[in-house]
Amino acid sequence: MRGSPLLRTLAVLVALLLAGIGLARLTAPAATQATVTSVPQDEPESSAIRPATFDLLLSGTAKRVTLEAGGPPLTFENTAGPLTGKLALSADKPTIFLVVEWAEAAAGHRFAKLRFEVPGQETREHVFSAPGNIDDLWEP
Protein backbone atom coordinates (compact mmCIF):
# COMPACT_ATOMS: atom_id res chain seq x y z
CA MET A 1 0.00 0.00 0.00
CA ARG A 2 1.23 3.40 -0.88
CA GLY A 3 0.76 6.62 1.03
CA SER A 4 0.42 7.51 4.60
CA PRO A 5 -2.41 5.90 6.60
CA LEU A 6 -3.10 9.26 8.23
CA LEU A 7 -3.66 10.99 4.87
CA ARG A 8 -5.94 8.16 3.66
CA THR A 9 -8.01 8.45 6.86
CA LEU A 10 -8.34 12.21 6.42
CA ALA A 11 -9.38 11.76 2.76
CA VAL A 12 -12.09 9.26 3.78
CA LEU A 13 -13.33 11.61 6.50
CA VAL A 14 -13.56 14.54 4.03
CA ALA A 15 -15.44 12.35 1.53
CA LEU A 16 -17.88 11.23 4.24
CA LEU A 17 -18.39 14.83 5.37
CA LEU A 18 -19.13 16.01 1.82
CA ALA A 19 -21.54 13.10 1.27
CA GLY A 20 -23.30 13.93 4.57
CA ILE A 21 -23.72 17.58 3.60
CA GLY A 22 -25.15 16.58 0.21
CA LEU A 23 -27.62 14.15 1.79
CA ALA A 24 -28.68 16.72 4.37
CA ARG A 25 -29.53 19.23 1.61
CA LEU A 26 -31.45 16.64 -0.37
CA THR A 27 -33.56 15.44 2.56
CA ALA A 28 -34.17 18.83 4.21
CA PRO A 29 -37.72 20.21 3.89
CA ALA A 30 -38.06 22.90 1.28
CA ALA A 31 -38.33 26.38 2.71
CA THR A 32 -41.38 27.62 0.83
CA GLN A 33 -43.55 30.50 1.80
CA ALA A 34 -47.17 29.59 2.40
CA THR A 35 -49.73 31.56 0.44
CA VAL A 36 -53.29 31.97 1.62
CA THR A 37 -56.03 32.33 -0.94
CA SER A 38 -59.66 32.89 -0.19
CA VAL A 39 -62.18 30.75 -2.02
CA PRO A 40 -65.55 32.40 -2.56
CA GLN A 41 -68.43 30.37 -1.21
CA ASP A 42 -71.52 30.33 -3.35
CA GLU A 43 -73.99 29.16 -0.74
CA PRO A 44 -73.65 27.11 2.40
CA GLU A 45 -73.78 23.37 1.99
CA SER A 46 -76.22 23.15 4.88
CA SER A 47 -79.16 24.07 2.66
CA ALA A 48 -78.40 21.36 0.10
CA ILE A 49 -80.63 18.32 -0.33
CA ARG A 50 -78.86 14.97 -0.78
CA PRO A 51 -80.51 11.84 -2.16
CA ALA A 52 -80.34 8.72 -0.04
CA THR A 53 -81.56 5.19 -0.65
CA PHE A 54 -83.56 3.62 2.15
CA ASP A 55 -84.85 0.23 3.28
CA LEU A 56 -87.72 0.04 5.77
CA LEU A 57 -88.52 -3.29 7.42
CA LEU A 58 -91.87 -3.58 9.24
CA SER A 59 -92.79 -6.09 11.94
CA GLY A 60 -96.33 -6.50 10.58
CA THR A 61 -98.81 -5.40 7.94
CA ALA A 62 -99.28 -1.66 7.80
CA LYS A 63 -102.38 0.20 6.62
CA ARG A 64 -100.36 3.35 5.86
CA VAL A 65 -96.67 4.30 6.10
CA THR A 66 -95.48 7.90 5.70
CA LEU A 67 -91.78 8.74 5.53
CA GLU A 68 -90.49 12.32 5.29
CA ALA A 69 -87.04 13.89 5.57
CA GLY A 70 -87.00 17.40 4.13
CA GLY A 71 -88.42 16.58 0.72
CA PRO A 72 -91.89 15.54 -0.32
CA PRO A 73 -93.33 12.82 1.95
CA LEU A 74 -93.45 9.24 0.71
CA THR A 75 -96.67 7.35 1.45
CA PHE A 76 -97.24 3.62 1.12
CA GLU A 77 -100.66 1.96 1.51
CA ASN A 78 -101.46 -1.61 2.64
CA THR A 79 -97.99 -3.09 2.72
CA ALA A 80 -96.26 -5.81 4.70
CA GLY A 81 -92.97 -6.33 2.89
CA PRO A 82 -89.76 -4.39 3.07
CA LEU A 83 -90.05 -0.93 1.50
CA THR A 84 -87.22 0.55 -0.56
CA GLY A 85 -86.77 3.78 -2.44
CA LYS A 86 -85.07 7.17 -2.57
CA LEU A 87 -85.36 9.79 0.16
CA ALA A 88 -84.26 13.45 0.02
CA LEU A 89 -82.21 14.41 3.11
CA SER A 90 -81.17 17.90 4.13
CA ALA A 91 -77.37 18.06 4.30
CA ASP A 92 -76.79 19.83 7.60
CA LYS A 93 -79.00 18.11 10.18
CA PRO A 94 -81.46 15.69 8.64
CA THR A 95 -84.64 14.88 10.53
CA ILE A 96 -86.59 11.80 9.48
CA PHE A 97 -90.27 11.54 10.33
CA LEU A 98 -91.95 8.13 10.29
CA VAL A 99 -95.65 7.42 10.77
CA VAL A 100 -96.87 3.80 10.65
CA GLU A 101 -100.55 2.92 11.06
CA TRP A 102 -100.86 -0.82 11.58
CA ALA A 103 -103.60 -2.75 9.78
CA GLU A 104 -104.49 -4.83 12.83
CA ALA A 105 -104.45 -3.78 16.47
CA ALA A 106 -102.59 -6.75 17.93
CA ALA A 107 -101.22 -6.64 21.47
CA GLY A 108 -97.49 -6.14 21.93
CA HIS A 109 -94.79 -3.90 20.60
CA ARG A 110 -94.33 -3.28 16.90
CA PHE A 111 -91.19 -2.02 15.23
CA ALA A 112 -89.95 -0.50 12.00
CA LYS A 113 -86.25 -0.69 11.13
CA LEU A 114 -85.01 2.08 8.84
CA ARG A 115 -81.66 1.89 7.08
CA PHE A 116 -80.43 4.59 4.71
CA GLU A 117 -77.29 5.17 2.68
CA VAL A 118 -75.99 8.53 1.50
CA PRO A 119 -73.28 8.25 -1.18
CA GLY A 120 -69.87 8.84 0.36
CA GLN A 121 -71.03 8.26 3.95
CA GLU A 122 -71.47 5.26 6.18
CA THR A 123 -74.76 3.37 6.30
CA ARG A 124 -77.01 4.39 9.18
CA GLU A 125 -79.91 2.51 10.71
CA HIS A 126 -82.47 3.08 13.44
CA VAL A 127 -85.26 1.01 14.98
CA PHE A 128 -88.54 2.73 15.80
CA SER A 129 -90.75 0.83 18.25
CA ALA A 130 -94.07 1.49 19.97
CA PRO A 131 -96.89 -0.46 21.63
CA GLY A 132 -99.29 0.77 18.93
CA ASN A 133 -98.96 2.97 15.88
CA ILE A 134 -95.56 4.56 15.33
CA ASP A 135 -95.36 8.35 15.05
CA ASP A 136 -91.74 9.28 15.69
CA LEU A 137 -88.78 11.24 14.41
CA TRP A 138 -85.05 10.55 14.24
CA GLU A 139 -82.20 13.04 13.98
CA PRO A 140 -79.16 11.07 12.82
Side-chain angles (χ1 to χ4, degrees):
M1 293 239 177
R2 298 181 120 182
S4 167
L6 183 61
L7 289 177
R8 284 186 290 179
T9 304
L10 287 175
V12 169
L13 287 177
V14 169
L16 285 175
L17 182 65
L18 291 175
I21 292 172
L23 282 175
R25 286 191 179 184
L26 286 176
T27 59
T32 59
Q33 186 177 13
T35 59
V36 177
T37 58
S38 63
V39 178
Q41 296 179 353
D42 296 337
E43 61 182 75
E45 188 179 325
S46 63
S47 65
I49 300 286
R50 299 176 297 173
T53 57
F54 74 91
D55 296 318
L56 183 66
L57 178 66
L58 303 172
S59 64
T61 304
K63 183 168 80 174
R64 179 178 293 122
V65 177
T66 305
L67 187 62
E68 183 180 359
L74 301 173
T75 304
F76 303 93
E77 303 275 339
N78 297 324
T79 183
L83 305 172
T84 60
K86 297 260 185 205
L87 187 64
L89 293 175
S90 61
D92 57 349
K93 294 182 181 176
T95 302
I96 299 171
F97 299 94
L98 178 68
V99 178
V100 179
E101 296 177 35
W102 301 107
E104 51 198 50
H109 266 68
R110 299 288 182 105
F111 71 89
K113 181 178 180 181
L114 175 67
R115 176 183 21 221
F116 70 92
E117 298 177 7
V118 177
Q121 292 184 357
E122 64 184 47
T123 301
R124 296 181 184 177
E125 58 183 45
H126 182 72
V127 177
F128 300 90
S129 69
N133 292 336
I134 297 173
D135 187 359
D136 202 358
L137 65 96
W138 176 40
E139 297 176 334

